[in-house]
């Protein structure tokens, strides 16, 4: 074995109530990480693809946020119902799900259509 | 702004006492993540490099474990005193620190020199 073909980082960050920026989960866990793990297992790619919990990915206005490396594909506003499509299309078939991808201009920016400072 | 030039994931996982596999931290935090954040800030690369907490990276026998994407460089047995070198050499100057890198044969394997199942 060697490095992961895909390494999926799922933000599980939760902030204090009233924080200036939103949280990706309300409980520090959220449903997405477990759903990714289950779908990756069911797709038979568990040996080469890992779903990982991550702390704050700093894209809070686009959460729940997921990033897939090494290809550095960022997904935003990911809902539980999107996980099957990301796993089957992107992680199995190598076709990132464009409708869920964050534009480069939304990443690490002080201002975008989702973040008005 | 756009995607991170380097995205550093620091395992902060902690297991129950008596677990079959070791933990990367004893308290779910550990010193490494904060040290990376501080050194990245001091090196002036905070805008393009992020140090992120991560859940279990599944390389427990090589912990504390750190992986840097998109280049997928894995570091094992990272000690607090190693952080300055990783930041200055790898993240600033683009030269991964070979003495701390895990061989590909140690990653995602059921058996290596560090993992005897």
């Amino acid at each position: 074995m060697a490095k992961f073909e895909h390494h999926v980082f799922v933000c599980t960050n939760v902030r204090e109530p009233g924080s200036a920026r939103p949280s990706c989960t309300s409980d520090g866990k959220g449903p997405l990480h477990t759903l990714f793990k289950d779908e990756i297992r069911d797709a038979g790619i568990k040996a080469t693809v890992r779903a990982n919990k991550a702390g704050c990915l700093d894209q809070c206005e686009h959460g729940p946020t997921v990033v897939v490396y090494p290809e550095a594909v960022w997904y935003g506003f990911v809902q539980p119902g999107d996980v099957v499509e990301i796993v089957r299309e992107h992680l199995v078939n190598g076709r990132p799900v464009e409708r869920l991808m964050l534009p480069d201009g939304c990443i690490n920016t002080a201002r975008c259509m989702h973040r008005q400072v």
Side-chain angles (χ1 to χ4, degrees), chain A:
Chain A
M1 300 293 296
K3 298 174 182 180
F4 297 117
E5 291 181 12
H6 303 285
H7 201 161
V8 182
F9 291 91
V10 181
C11 184
T12 57
N13 196 47
V14 59
R15 294 180 183 281
E16 296 296 317
S19 296
R21 301 184 75 186
S23 299
C24 278
T25 73
S26 60
D27 62 355
K29 298 177 181 174
L32 293 178
H33 176 250
T34 300
L35 286 169
F36 270 106
K37 283 184 76 81
D38 291 348
E39 289 297 329
I40 286 167
R41 180 198 61 219
D42 292 351
I45 55 174
K46 185 179 169 185
T48 56
V49 178
R50 181 165 179 82
N52 227 101
K53 289 183 186 173
C56 178
L57 295 166
D58 201 25
Q59 315 303 324
C60 313
E61 289 74 13
H62 307 105
T65 308
V66 172
V67 59
V68 185
Y69 281 112
E71 58 267 56
V73 167
W74 285 83
Y75 292 115
F77 310 106
V78 180
Q79 298 303 307
D82 299 324
V83 173
V84 170
E85 186 176 355
I86 294 173
V87 172
R88 300 291 164 149
E89 284 300 300
H90 182 166
L91 306 181
V92 174
N93 293 320
R95 296 187 291 255
V97 182
E98 291 196 15
R99 72 176 181 87
L100 298 170
M101 287 170 62
L102 287 172
D104 282 1
C106 283
I107 300 171
N108 302 331
T109 181
R111 189 183 297 262
C112 73
M113 74 178 87
H114 310 105
R115 184 175 186 184
Q116 306 296 334
V117 180

